[in-house]
Amino acid sequence: MLLGSIEAGGTKFVCAVGNEDYRVKNSVKFPTTTPEETLGKAIEYFKKFKIESLSIASFGPIDVQYTSKTYGFITNTPKPGWKDVDFVGLLKKELDVPIFFTTDVNGSAFGEYTVAQLFNEKIKSLVYLTIGTGVGGGAIIDGEILGTKGHPEMGHVYLKRHPADSAFEGICPFHKDCLEGLAAGPSIKARTGIAGEKVAQDDKIWDILSYYIAQAAIQQTLILRPDNIIFGGGVISERLLKKVRRDFEKLNNGYIDIDDLENYIRMPRVKNNGSATLGNFALAFNELHK
Protein backbone atom coordinates (compact mmCIF):
# COMPACT_ATOMS: atom_id res chain seq x y z
CA MET A 1 0.00 0.00 0.00
CA LEU A 2 1.27 3.47 -0.91
CA LEU A 3 0.03 6.61 0.85
CA GLY A 4 0.62 10.21 -0.20
CA SER A 5 1.54 13.26 1.86
CA ILE A 6 1.64 16.94 1.00
CA GLU A 7 3.11 19.32 3.56
CA ALA A 8 2.11 22.60 1.98
CA GLY A 9 4.04 25.53 3.39
CA GLY A 10 4.08 29.13 2.37
CA THR A 11 7.73 28.78 1.35
CA LYS A 12 7.95 25.20 0.08
CA PHE A 13 5.94 22.05 -0.62
CA VAL A 14 7.13 18.66 0.62
CA CYS A 15 5.48 15.77 -1.22
CA ALA A 16 6.12 12.22 -0.08
CA VAL A 17 5.01 8.66 -0.65
CA GLY A 18 5.06 6.12 2.16
CA ASN A 19 3.59 2.83 3.33
CA GLU A 20 1.18 1.77 6.05
CA ASP A 21 4.12 1.62 8.48
CA TYR A 22 4.50 5.40 7.92
CA ARG A 23 7.95 5.06 6.37
CA VAL A 24 8.94 7.44 3.58
CA LYS A 25 9.63 5.62 0.30
CA ASN A 26 10.16 8.70 -1.85
CA SER A 27 9.95 12.46 -1.39
CA VAL A 28 10.49 15.73 -3.22
CA LYS A 29 10.65 19.42 -2.26
CA PHE A 30 9.98 22.46 -4.40
CA PRO A 31 9.28 26.16 -3.81
CA THR A 32 5.75 27.46 -3.29
CA THR A 33 5.20 29.73 -6.28
CA THR A 34 1.83 30.20 -8.01
CA PRO A 35 -1.01 27.76 -7.28
CA GLU A 36 -1.01 26.57 -10.89
CA GLU A 37 2.70 25.80 -10.97
CA THR A 38 2.99 24.41 -7.44
CA LEU A 39 -0.10 22.21 -7.48
CA GLY A 40 0.81 21.12 -11.00
CA LYS A 41 4.15 19.84 -9.73
CA ALA A 42 2.42 18.01 -6.87
CA ILE A 43 -0.04 16.33 -9.25
CA GLU A 44 2.76 15.37 -11.63
CA TYR A 45 4.71 13.84 -8.74
CA PHE A 46 1.89 11.68 -7.41
CA LYS A 47 0.91 10.44 -10.87
CA LYS A 48 4.23 8.56 -10.88
CA PHE A 49 3.00 6.36 -8.02
CA LYS A 50 -0.11 4.27 -7.44
CA ILE A 51 -1.11 5.89 -4.17
CA GLU A 52 -4.35 4.73 -2.59
CA SER A 53 -5.01 7.77 -0.41
CA LEU A 54 -3.59 11.25 0.19
CA SER A 55 -3.47 13.68 3.11
CA ILE A 56 -2.69 17.37 2.82
CA ALA A 57 -1.40 19.47 5.72
CA SER A 58 -1.58 23.03 4.48
CA PHE A 59 -0.78 26.58 5.47
CA GLY A 60 -3.94 28.56 6.01
CA PRO A 61 -6.43 29.69 6.88
CA ILE A 62 -8.26 26.82 5.18
CA ASP A 63 -11.85 25.53 5.09
CA VAL A 64 -12.08 22.07 6.69
CA GLN A 65 -15.88 21.81 7.00
CA TYR A 66 -17.10 18.97 4.78
CA THR A 67 -20.52 20.63 4.36
CA SER A 68 -19.14 24.01 3.32
CA LYS A 69 -19.28 25.26 -0.28
CA THR A 70 -15.61 26.16 0.02
CA TYR A 71 -14.44 22.95 1.70
CA GLY A 72 -10.87 22.23 0.63
CA PHE A 73 -10.07 25.87 -0.15
CA ILE A 74 -7.24 27.99 1.15
CA THR A 75 -9.25 31.01 2.25
CA ASN A 76 -8.16 34.38 3.64
CA THR A 77 -4.40 33.86 3.45
CA PRO A 78 -1.98 36.79 3.20
CA LYS A 79 0.17 34.73 0.78
CA PRO A 80 -0.09 36.48 -2.61
CA GLY A 81 -2.05 34.55 -5.22
CA TRP A 82 -3.28 31.81 -2.89
CA LYS A 83 -6.46 33.36 -1.49
CA ASP A 84 -9.61 31.36 -2.38
CA VAL A 85 -7.67 28.55 -4.10
CA ASP A 86 -9.58 25.23 -4.37
CA PHE A 87 -6.66 23.08 -3.20
CA VAL A 88 -8.54 19.79 -2.76
CA GLY A 89 -10.76 20.29 -5.79
CA LEU A 90 -7.82 20.78 -8.14
CA LEU A 91 -6.13 17.61 -6.89
CA LYS A 92 -9.38 15.61 -6.96
CA LYS A 93 -9.74 16.32 -10.68
CA GLU A 94 -6.39 14.68 -11.39
CA LEU A 95 -5.95 12.10 -8.61
CA ASP A 96 -8.84 9.72 -8.11
CA VAL A 97 -8.12 8.87 -4.46
CA PRO A 98 -9.58 9.76 -1.04
CA ILE A 99 -8.09 13.04 0.22
CA PHE A 100 -7.90 14.24 3.82
CA PHE A 101 -7.40 17.99 4.29
CA THR A 102 -6.14 19.73 7.40
CA THR A 103 -3.75 22.40 8.60
CA ASP A 104 0.02 22.02 8.67
CA VAL A 105 0.04 22.10 12.47
CA ASN A 106 -2.75 19.53 12.73
CA GLY A 107 -0.69 17.26 10.49
CA SER A 108 2.30 17.71 12.78
CA ALA A 109 0.17 17.18 15.89
CA PHE A 110 -1.24 13.94 14.48
CA GLY A 111 2.25 12.77 13.57
CA GLU A 112 3.44 13.33 17.12
CA TYR A 113 0.37 11.59 18.52
CA THR A 114 0.87 8.63 16.18
CA VAL A 115 4.50 8.17 17.20
CA ALA A 116 3.55 8.35 20.88
CA GLN A 117 1.06 5.53 20.32
CA LEU A 118 3.59 3.44 18.39
CA PHE A 119 5.98 3.67 21.34
CA ASN A 120 3.20 2.92 23.85
CA GLU A 121 3.51 6.27 25.59
CA LYS A 122 0.56 7.10 27.82
CA ILE A 123 -0.48 10.02 25.65
CA LYS A 124 -4.20 10.55 25.02
CA SER A 125 -4.01 14.21 24.07
CA LEU A 126 -1.45 16.75 22.97
CA VAL A 127 -1.04 20.24 21.57
CA TYR A 128 1.46 21.08 18.84
CA LEU A 129 2.51 24.71 18.51
CA THR A 130 4.82 25.92 15.77
CA ILE A 131 6.73 29.16 16.25
CA GLY A 132 8.32 30.14 12.96
CA THR A 133 7.52 32.57 10.16
CA GLY A 134 4.01 32.40 11.58
CA VAL A 135 2.52 30.86 14.70
CA GLY A 136 -0.08 28.11 14.66
CA GLY A 137 -1.34 25.27 16.77
CA GLY A 138 -3.27 22.04 16.58
CA ALA A 139 -4.62 19.65 19.18
CA ILE A 140 -5.38 15.94 19.27
CA ILE A 141 -7.88 14.76 21.89
CA ASP A 142 -8.39 10.99 22.23
CA GLY A 143 -7.08 10.48 18.72
CA GLU A 144 -9.31 13.12 17.13
CA ILE A 145 -8.29 16.46 15.66
CA LEU A 146 -9.83 19.31 17.64
CA GLY A 147 -12.20 21.62 15.78
CA THR A 148 -15.62 21.25 14.12
CA LYS A 149 -16.68 24.71 12.99
CA GLY A 150 -13.14 25.21 11.71
CA HIS A 151 -9.55 24.64 12.73
CA PRO A 152 -8.08 26.30 15.84
CA GLU A 153 -6.20 29.60 15.43
CA MET A 154 -3.93 29.32 18.43
CA GLY A 155 -1.45 31.79 16.97
CA HIS A 156 -3.89 34.68 17.19
CA VAL A 157 -4.71 34.71 20.89
CA TYR A 158 -4.00 37.86 22.86
CA LEU A 159 -1.34 38.04 25.58
CA LYS A 160 -0.17 40.08 28.52
CA ARG A 161 2.65 42.30 27.31
CA HIS A 162 6.18 41.93 28.61
CA PRO A 163 7.19 45.10 30.52
CA ALA A 164 10.29 45.52 28.32
CA ASP A 165 8.26 45.13 25.12
CA SER A 166 5.40 47.56 25.59
CA ALA A 167 6.50 49.88 22.78
CA PHE A 168 6.56 47.13 20.12
CA GLU A 169 3.42 47.31 17.99
CA GLY A 170 3.49 43.72 16.73
CA ILE A 171 3.61 42.40 13.17
CA CYS A 172 0.35 40.51 12.67
CA PRO A 173 -1.49 42.17 9.74
CA PHE A 174 -4.84 41.41 11.40
CA HIS A 175 -4.27 41.89 15.14
CA LYS A 176 -0.83 43.51 15.56
CA ASP A 177 0.11 42.20 19.03
CA CYS A 178 -1.42 38.72 19.18
CA LEU A 179 0.85 35.72 19.82
CA GLU A 180 1.93 35.58 16.18
CA GLY A 181 2.49 39.31 16.09
CA LEU A 182 4.74 39.18 19.14
CA ALA A 183 6.53 35.82 18.91
CA ALA A 184 6.82 34.82 15.23
CA GLY A 185 10.28 34.82 13.67
CA PRO A 186 9.85 38.09 11.74
CA SER A 187 9.04 39.88 15.01
CA ILE A 188 12.64 39.33 16.10
CA LYS A 189 14.03 41.20 13.12
CA ALA A 190 11.33 43.86 13.48
CA ARG A 191 12.64 44.61 16.98
CA THR A 192 16.38 44.07 16.54
CA GLY A 193 17.03 44.60 12.85
CA ILE A 194 18.74 41.19 12.82
CA ALA A 195 17.44 37.81 11.65
CA GLY A 196 16.66 35.50 14.58
CA GLU A 197 19.40 32.98 13.80
CA LYS A 198 22.00 35.76 14.05
CA VAL A 199 20.81 37.22 17.36
CA ALA A 200 23.10 36.51 20.34
CA GLN A 201 21.81 33.86 22.75
CA ASP A 202 22.09 36.27 25.70
CA ASP A 203 20.02 38.98 23.98
CA LYS A 204 17.00 40.07 26.04
CA ILE A 205 14.72 39.31 23.07
CA TRP A 206 14.77 35.60 24.00
CA ASP A 207 13.39 36.37 27.46
CA ILE A 208 10.65 38.44 25.87
CA LEU A 209 9.74 35.65 23.44
CA SER A 210 9.90 33.06 26.22
CA TYR A 211 7.39 35.07 28.26
CA TYR A 212 4.92 35.08 25.37
CA ILE A 213 5.45 31.42 24.41
CA ALA A 214 5.01 30.38 28.05
CA GLN A 215 1.69 32.21 28.09
CA ALA A 216 0.61 30.17 25.06
CA ALA A 217 1.59 27.00 26.96
CA ILE A 218 -0.29 28.00 30.10
CA GLN A 219 -3.41 28.87 28.06
CA GLN A 220 -3.47 25.45 26.40
CA THR A 221 -2.77 23.78 29.73
CA LEU A 222 -5.68 25.50 31.46
CA ILE A 223 -8.13 25.08 28.58
CA LEU A 224 -7.36 21.61 27.23
CA ARG A 225 -5.28 19.89 29.96
CA PRO A 226 -3.24 17.90 27.39
CA ASP A 227 -0.67 15.23 28.21
CA ASN A 228 1.96 17.05 26.11
CA ILE A 229 2.68 20.45 24.61
CA ILE A 230 5.12 20.15 21.72
CA PHE A 231 6.90 23.12 20.17
CA GLY A 232 8.29 23.10 16.64
CA GLY A 233 9.27 25.72 14.10
CA GLY A 234 12.41 27.64 13.27
CA VAL A 235 12.35 29.91 16.32
CA ILE A 236 12.27 27.02 18.80
CA SER A 237 15.41 25.51 20.32
CA GLU A 238 16.04 23.51 23.46
CA ARG A 239 17.79 26.59 24.89
CA LEU A 240 14.64 28.68 24.37
CA LEU A 241 12.39 25.94 25.77
CA LYS A 242 14.39 25.98 29.01
CA LYS A 243 13.40 29.63 29.39
CA VAL A 244 9.79 28.76 28.45
CA ARG A 245 9.64 26.09 31.17
CA ARG A 246 11.04 28.58 33.67
CA ASP A 247 8.41 31.19 32.77
CA PHE A 248 5.66 28.56 32.63
CA GLU A 249 6.42 27.59 36.23
CA LYS A 250 6.22 31.23 37.30
CA LEU A 251 2.90 31.74 35.50
CA ASN A 252 1.45 28.47 36.78
CA ASN A 253 2.53 29.30 40.34
CA GLY A 254 1.79 25.77 41.53
CA TYR A 255 -1.85 25.91 40.41
CA ILE A 256 -1.75 22.74 38.25
CA ASP A 257 0.55 19.84 39.07
CA ILE A 258 2.80 18.91 36.14
CA ASP A 259 4.68 15.66 36.83
CA ASP A 260 7.55 16.03 34.36
CA LEU A 261 7.85 19.54 32.98
CA GLU A 262 10.76 18.70 30.65
CA ASN A 263 8.67 16.05 28.94
CA TYR A 264 5.44 18.06 29.15
CA ILE A 265 6.89 21.04 27.24
CA ARG A 266 9.16 19.44 24.68
CA MET A 267 10.64 19.39 21.21
CA PRO A 268 9.05 17.08 18.58
CA ARG A 269 9.57 13.33 18.78
CA VAL A 270 9.92 13.07 15.01
CA LYS A 271 13.26 14.46 13.91
CA ASN A 272 14.13 16.62 10.88
CA ASN A 273 10.73 18.32 10.72
CA GLY A 274 9.10 15.02 9.78
CA SER A 275 6.03 15.20 12.05
CA ALA A 276 3.62 16.47 9.38
CA THR A 277 4.66 13.88 6.78
CA LEU A 278 4.26 11.02 9.25
CA GLY A 279 0.95 12.48 10.42
CA ASN A 280 -0.24 12.72 6.83
CA PHE A 281 0.51 9.05 6.20
CA ALA A 282 -1.54 8.12 9.27
CA LEU A 283 -4.40 10.43 8.27
CA ALA A 284 -4.37 9.14 4.69
CA PHE A 285 -4.55 5.57 6.04
CA ASN A 286 -7.49 6.53 8.27
CA GLU A 287 -9.27 8.26 5.38
CA LEU A 288 -8.91 5.15 3.23
CA HIS A 289 -10.44 2.97 5.94
CA LYS A 290 -13.38 5.14 6.94
Side-chain angles (χ1 to χ4, degrees), residues 2 15 23 28 30 32 44 62 67 111 113 162 173 201 209 218 228 237 240 244 249 279 287:
L2 290 180
C15 297
R23 297 183 186 276
V28 66
F30 44 84
T32 306
E44 181 183 4
I62 62 176
T67 57
Y113 177 83
H162 191 287
Q201 291 298 325
L209 260 61
I218 201 76
N228 255 177
S237 65
L240 178 57
V244 171
E249 283 194 296
E287 186 72 8

Side-chain angles (χ1 to χ4, degrees), residues 64-227:
V64 296
Q65 288 192 75
Y66 286 110
T67 57
S68 171
K69 292 180 180 179
T70 56
Y71 167 74
F73 278 59
I74 293 177
T75 57
N76 193 29
T77 180
K79 179 146 182 77
W82 283 82
K83 183 178 179 181
D84 299 326
V85 168
D86 185 5
F87 198 147
V88 172
L90 290 168
L91 268 71
K92 277 277 191 183
K93 288 178 183 178
E94 300 290 338
L95 304 172
D96 186 22
V97 296
I99 297 177
F100 187 83
F101 188 54
T102 191
T103 62
D104 46 4
V105 281
N106 277 342
S108 294
F110 203 80
E112 289 294 310
Y113 177 83
T114 300
V115 170
Q117 306 314 301
L118 291 173
F119 285 94
N120 295 316
E121 294 186 45
K122 295 179 179 179
I123 300 294
K124 293 185 177 180
S125 63
L126 60 80
V127 172
Y128 186 100
L129 285 158
T130 184
I131 315 289
T133 304
V135 177
I140 309 298
I141 308 295
D142 290 328
E144 298 292 332
I145 295 174
L146 182 68
T148 52
K149 182 70 173 176
H151 55 81
E153 287 286 1
M154 298 179 186
H156 293 274
V157 295
Y158 289 97
L159 306 170
K160 183 178 180 180
R161 298 298 297 266
H162 191 287
D165 196 44
S166 59
F168 181 59
E169 184 181 39
I171 61 166
C172 175
F174 294 98
H175 312 118
K176 296 297 184 185
D177 63 348
C178 61
L179 174 60
E180 180 168 294
L182 295 175
S187 77
I188 301 172
K189 188 172 184 179
R191 293 181 180 93
T192 65
I194 306 170
E197 61 269 19
K198 296 180 180 179
V199 175
Q201 291 298 325
D202 60 353
D203 193 289
K204 67 179 182 181
I205 188 66
W206 301 114
D207 290 308
I208 291 171
L209 260 61
S210 171
Y211 181 65
Y212 294 138
I213 295 168
Q215 286 186 63
I218 201 76
Q219 286 174 346
Q220 299 307 322
T221 297
L222 295 174
I223 295 168
L224 297 178
R225 294 303 305 274
D227 295 318

